Amino acid sequence: MRANRKLWAAATVCVAVVAGVTGCSTGDDKAADPFAGLTADAIADKAVETTKAATAFRMNSTGTTDGEQMTIDFSVDAKGSCKGTMQAAKGGKAEVVGTGGVSYMKGDDAFWRATGGEDGASAEESGAMSVLLKGRWLKMPAGTGEDDPAAFCDLKTIVKDMDEETPRKGMTRGADADVDGKPAAVLTKKGEKGETTTMYVAKDAAKPYVLRVVETGGKEPGTVTLSDYDKPVTATPPPADQVVDMEQLMKGAS
């Protein structure tokens, strides 16, 4: 299922471009630059390391993966709690909730018809899944790999993917900007295949978090925005009588 995709990779590699920032920094009464004396690469490394140490954040992205659009708005914390929504390109929306090491997904009819079943599933199979899961939550199986559904609520996996998927060597620093009202240093990396990665880093000496990463050009342009750092996530598992166990469902199908 598409739900098995690593969350950060799904957000950073698969999203369409959302125009960078809301306004630019202006005025002469600027605060001292917390990155004075640092190279662009060093600022990027510092931002990623700081973000990896966060206890929680919210991730918002929208765009395309494998030729299909997906919108994600998702919050996760270090205790394994998560909640958010996903929207498929062909229509439909799903809620995601995770707590206690278990994650659940509840999609509407259009979502299951667009994404249900294994890759290559027929329209009839996806339709049958839609009927089975109507008004119910799908319980994701636990696993050990990065592509397992459990990764949705695994903050360590998400930031590990961020670390590996975000290029930050050979960057240059441009004019500062604001991201959702927060001053940010703007770092840019041009790739060999025409793609450009731009990272927006909070101008905060204590917590220089990654605020946004944007990719333009290339085959997979995209953006992901991070916010609500270190805010715990309150998630409640769905009632047991509204849950369908994916492992049992797969056993029945086989």
Side-chain angles (χ1 to χ4, degrees):
M1 293 180 61
R2 298 285 181 192
N4 296 10
R5 188 179 298 276
K6 294 181 295 183
L7 186 57
W8 176 267
T12 56
V13 176
C14 69
V15 291
V17 177
V18 172
V21 297
T22 56
C24 297
S25 299
T26 59
D28 297 326
D29 53 345
K30 296 179 180 179
D33 184 359
F35 306 130
L38 294 180
T39 66
D41 287 1
I43 298 171
D45 284 337
K46 186 178 183 68
V48 170
E49 290 305 311
T50 303
T51 300
K52 286 168 62 179
T55 59
F57 54 65
R58 179 179 179 181
M59 180 186 301
N60 185 281
S61 65
T62 182
T64 305
T65 178
D66 295 335
E68 297 182 5
Q69 287 189 334
M70 182 72 75
T71 298
I72 299 172
D73 188 355
F74 193 82
S75 296
V76 59
D77 68 20
K79 295 182 178 180
S81 295
C82 63
K83 63 181 179 181
T85 59
M86 301 174 64
Q87 189 163 344
K90 298 177 182 178
K93 190 174 184 178
E95 298 175 67
V96 179
V97 172
T99 182
V102 181
S103 54
Y104 307 84
M105 179 177 287
K106 181 180 181 181
D108 58 20
D109 180 76
F111 182 87
W112 290 125
R113 287 183 180 277
T115 63
E118 298 294 330
D119 288 344
S122 66
E124 291 76 12
E125 290 171 324
S126 294
M129 188 170 185
S130 174
V131 172
L132 176 64
L133 294 175
K134 184 176 182 179
R136 298 180 179 180
W137 292 83
L138 182 63
K139 179 182 177 181
M140 305 295 187
T144 57
E146 291 182 346
D147 292 315
D148 290 310
F152 268 100
C153 291
D154 188 342
L155 184 64
K156 289 184 178 180
T157 296
I158 296 171
V159 295
K160 179 176 180 290
D161 290 336
M162 177 194 66
D163 191 0
E164 295 175 350
E165 297 286 342
T166 306
R168 50 189 190 276
K169 295 300 180 184
M171 305 194 86
T172 59
R173 182 175 179 180
D176 294 344
D178 288 347
V179 176
D180 297 329
K182 294 181 176 62
V186 182
L187 314 174
T188 302
K189 159 75 174 181
K190 293 186 180 297
E192 297 179 354
K193 298 181 179 180
E195 72 278 9
T196 299
T197 300
T198 304
M199 179 187 295
Y200 299 85
V201 178
K203 292 184 66 177
D204 184 326
K207 295 183 177 181
Y209 289 125
V210 175
L211 299 179
R212 181 170 291 159
V213 177
V214 178
E215 290 195 20
T216 58
K219 295 181 179 179
E220 296 176 318
T223 186
V224 60
T225 299
L226 301 178
S227 61
D228 292 349
Y229 276 103
D230 299 324
K231 293 184 179 180
V233 178
T234 301
T236 303
D241 61 357
Q242 296 180 19
V243 173
V244 174
D245 192 315
M246 185 175 175
E247 289 184 328
Q248 297 302 318
L249 189 62
M250 294 173 67
K251 288 179 181 178
S254 62

